[in-house]
Amino acid sequence: MDGTPAAASGDRGDDVNQPALGVVGYIRFFWRQLTSMRTALFLLMLLALAAIPGSLVPQRTADPNGVTQYQVDHPQLFPVLDKLQVFDTYTSVWFSAIYLLLFVSLIGCIIPRSKHHWQSLRTKPPRTPARLGRLAGFRRVVVGPDTLADGATGLPSVEDAVGGAVTLLKRSGYRVQRFGDSVSAERGYLRETGNLVFHTALVGVLLAVGVGGGFSYTGQRLLVEGQTFSNVLGSYDSFIPGRWFSQSQLQGYNLTLDDFVTTYEQKNLNALGQATDYKATVTARTKGGAAQRDVIKVNDPLSIGGTNVYLLGNGYAMHVTVRDGDGNVAFEDDVPFLPADANYTSTGVIKVPDAEPDQLGMVGFFYPTAVKQASGAYASNYPDDENPLLTLQVYTGDLGLDDGVPRSVYQLSTVGLTQIAGRTAADKSIELKPGQTKTLPKGAGSITFDGVKRYVSLDVHHDGSQLWVAAFALLSVLGLLTSLFVPRRRVWVKVVRNSRPDDGDGNDGDGGFSLEYAGLARGEDPNLERAVEDIAKRHVSVLGVRITQ
């Protein structure tokens, strides 16, 4: 020891000073992470998870009435979900962010892999290994006078053996390269091609949905029996256009709801009253075309004018006539009621702003098959209108329809109103059966329940990208199947010439040789050994040689 103190750990000369990545380095790092296949798969799974809320709660683009009803049923939860854009899941900021990241990730992954795959396709098969005995499926066949098959005319030459192997492997779909007395062959590049087609098709689906959605539109219309809907903006109850929508896309047609029928279970007592089928019969007319009757069912839309018309929901509409205190008809129309349970107990609002001397507002309850309970309240015990009953709570006062604030047709704000019939009034609720007329208290007028009609909620959807999405989806499935079931493998056939008069293999210096076969899997390939054995059998059969070992 020379007594020299050891160098401090921070002063060692062999320490590695790793340079800082810097801004560019971090950008490259995050780009590589984003464009990795692992990230793309994670984003694809995340996109599927992000789409779940869209199936759990109604969406404004598909079921605006359902969103309204959800707000009524969950008044405290609705503002929270609305702020999180759950009712607009597929156009929300968070869903769009995942969508765009997946799009960028797939493209960044596909481009370099396509370049590498193209270079691989142009590269010749590798040279034959020196020792095939170490590879899978190795097989050695001696070619000599003792191994000739019956009927063979003579011993095949080395050139015959190599040439025959080249021809056989080419016919079997291999890319072939000859190296002297051996043949190197490979196949399965279609596997990577299928993989790239799959991922490219996914990009195509994303692109078709994104671009096609800009030209699409969705509209909803509630249609009562006997009413007609025309495909113009003013006829929709709600309308959600794509970013690049133009009114010129709306093709002229109209639909009249002739009849709506619900079929209920009648035989099975455990499912009595459960709906088994919905059928809306409509008369469709296109511009310049003849009228024709069509049927719309659940999951069986009507295709007309470049749109698909879907049957979303249904219910009952009350046809009522209201006369005011002066005896004038102040209101006569069909009023849709929203179902509240499986037996179609329904609620609705009748607003009569033209009534004199005071405006009238009514909150109604409709019972298709009314029964009176022990408590005195009514309920419906069957969804069909076997014993229809309409009850109304009546209010007078300013309905607030002239203050410029939009108000729901399914809700009545009772603030500032005076109840003249109902729970808190001196007079009980108005009860009506079809055809009956009742006088309203306080000289407010009268109301006639003219009858019950059925209504349907229709969703009109136009999406020009559907065919493109279907084509890309089919292409992705084909690409995926190709990448899963096409094995990538290499196979070698080698001729080993005899160099001694007697090499102990049964070939006595008469010009015989040995054939060696082997393969190498590029990935999972459980059939590799069987494939090598099959090539060996076919090859020696062509040469007229028997396999003796």
Side-chain angles (χ1 to χ4, degrees):
M1 296 180 65
D2 57 8
T4 304
S9 60
D11 297 330
R12 291 175 181 171
D14 57 352
D15 282 352
V16 177
N17 293 323
Q18 184 174 357
L21 285 177
V23 177
V24 177
Y26 276 109
I27 291 176
R28 287 178 177 172
F29 171 77
F30 286 118
W31 174 253
R32 287 172 182 167
Q33 296 301 312
L34 178 61
T35 56
S36 67
M37 184 58 63
R38 180 173 53 190
T39 302
L41 292 174
F42 173 76
L43 288 172
L44 191 61
M45 181 191 70
L46 197 61
L47 189 69
L49 292 176
I52 292 177
S55 62
L56 297 179
V57 299
Q59 299 293 296
R60 284 193 174 92
T61 56
D63 188 11
N65 293 332
V67 175
T68 302
Q69 187 61 43
Y70 193 94
Q71 183 178 9
V72 174
D73 297 338
H74 308 87
Q76 280 135 10
L77 181 61
F78 180 84
V80 178
L81 297 181
D82 194 30
K83 188 169 288 187
L84 294 174
Q85 299 180 298
V86 175
F87 300 102
D88 301 284
T89 294
Y90 307 112
T91 57
S92 63
V93 174
W94 43 273
F95 189 87
S96 300
I98 299 172
Y99 186 92
L100 291 175
L101 283 174
L102 177 60
F103 189 79
V104 173
S105 178
L106 287 173
I107 292 179
C109 178
I110 290 170
I111 291 176
R113 286 184 61 180
S114 298
K115 181 181 178 181
H116 177 73
H117 184 53
W118 174 251
Q119 292 173 345
S120 298
L121 289 174
R122 301 178 64 187
T123 303
K124 296 179 180 179
R127 283 188 165 274
T128 306
R131 299 180 180 180
L132 295 181
R134 299 179 177 181
L135 301 178
F138 175 73
R139 194 174 187 86
R140 188 168 181 269
V141 178
V142 176
V143 178
D146 297 337
T147 59
L148 290 177
D150 296 338
T153 58
L155 193 67
S157 64
V158 171
E159 186 61 32
D160 292 337
V162 177
V166 170
T167 302
L168 174 64
L169 290 170
K170 283 184 176 180
R171 288 177 178 174
S172 300
Y174 287 84
R175 297 171 60 229
V176 178
Q177 184 68 33
R178 178 173 177 174
F179 296 99
D181 291 345
S182 67
V183 179
S184 178
E186 61 182 354
R187 64 178 296 181
Y189 279 94
L190 194 60
R191 182 189 188 97
E192 178 65 9
T193 302
N195 204 342
L196 290 172
V197 168
F198 168 70
H199 289 91
T200 303
L202 286 182
V203 174
V205 170
L206 295 175
L207 192 62
V209 170
V211 176
F215 294 97
S216 66
Y217 61 84
T218 300
Q220 290 76 34
R221 173 61 189 264
L222 188 148
L223 205 59
V224 181
E225 287 176 330
Q227 290 183 349
T228 298
F229 158 73
S230 297
N231 190 33
V232 295
L233 282 180
S235 291
Y236 286 94
D237 294 329
S238 62
F239 190 84
I240 302 175
R243 182 167 305 187
W244 303 296
F245 167 77
S246 171
Q247 291 193 41
S248 60
Q249 292 179 238
L250 297 176
Q251 299 183 28
Y253 68 84
N254 58 49
L255 299 174
T256 300
L257 179 61
D258 300 320
D259 186 35
F260 178 77
V261 176
T262 304
T263 303
Y264 299 101
E265 177 61 50
Q266 301 285 347
K267 297 179 180 179
N268 186 356
L269 296 180
N270 294 325
L272 188 66
Q274 187 174 23
T276 59
D277 190 28
Y278 300 99
K279 183 173 71 173
T281 303
V282 298
T283 299
R285 303 174 184 85
T286 57
K287 189 175 181 179
Q292 61 179 28
R293 288 173 67 87
D294 290 286
V295 173
I296 307 175
K297 292 186 176 183
V298 177
N299 297 325
D300 186 13
L302 169 65
S303 295
I304 183 173
T307 66
N308 286 330
V309 182
Y310 295 88
L311 180 62
L312 287 186
N314 66 89
Y316 290 97
M318 313 301 116
H319 188 87
V320 296
T321 301
V322 179
R323 294 180 180 272
D324 61 15
D326 297 335
N328 299 318
V329 176
F331 181 88
E332 183 179 4
D333 203 354
D334 298 310
V335 182
F337 277 41
L338 297 179
D341 58 28
N343 287 326
Y344 277 67
T345 300
S346 306
T347 61
V349 169
I350 302 173
K351 298 180 182 181
V352 191
D354 298 328
E356 295 290 346
D358 296 312
Q359 294 182 352
L360 293 172
M362 307 178 194
V363 178
F365 297 87
F366 176 68
Y367 309 94
T369 303
V371 292
K372 199 165 188 177
Q373 299 176 318
S375 62
Y378 286 101
S380 177
N381 63 0
Y382 193 72
D384 207 0
D385 55 343
E386 300 290 341
N387 182 32
L389 175 68
L390 174 64
T391 66
L392 297 167
Q393 299 181 34
V394 186
Y395 298 82
T396 61
D398 185 6
L399 300 180
L401 301 181
D402 300 324
D403 56 9
V405 179
R407 299 182 184 273
S408 172
V409 297
Y410 299 106
Q411 293 177 330
L412 176 67
S413 175
T414 59
V415 178
L417 300 182
T418 301
Q419 188 175 52
I420 62 174
R423 296 176 183 174
T424 62
D427 295 282
K428 65 178 183 179
S429 299
I430 304 296
E431 297 181 3
L432 292 165
K433 287 187 172 293
Q436 288 184 341
T437 299
K438 291 290 180 72
T439 301
L440 303 178
K442 310 293 185 184
S446 65
I447 181 169
T448 302
F449 183 16
D450 300 304
V452 181
K453 295 183 179 181
R454 297 303 299 264
Y455 72 80
V456 296
S457 179
L458 300 178
D459 180 77
V460 182
H461 185 69
H462 168 78
D463 187 0
S465 65
Q466 288 181 336
L467 292 178
W468 288 101
V469 171
F472 281 124
L474 178 61
L475 198 61
S476 68
V477 172
L478 294 177
L480 182 61
L481 292 176
T482 302
S483 66
L484 291 176
F485 295 106
V486 173
R488 186 176 176 186
R489 62 170 69 119
R490 288 173 178 170
V491 174
W492 291 277
V493 178
K494 187 177 182 180
V495 175
V496 181
R497 298 172 183 261
N498 292 328
S499 57
R500 294 179 299 171
D502 187 1
D503 56 7
D505 61 0
N507 206 340
D508 298 328
D510 49 8
F513 53 85
S514 299
L515 295 172
E516 293 183 352
Y517 305 88
L520 177 66
R522 302 294 303 275
E524 293 293 330
D525 190 357
N527 296 319
L528 177 62
E529 294 189 5
R530 186 186 306 170
V532 174
E533 181 181 1
D534 179 66
I535 289 173
K537 288 181 179 179
R538 291 165 61 195
H539 186 217
V540 299
S541 176
V542 171
L543 297 178
V545 177
R546 291 182 290 105
I547 297 179
T548 58
Q549 58 182 25

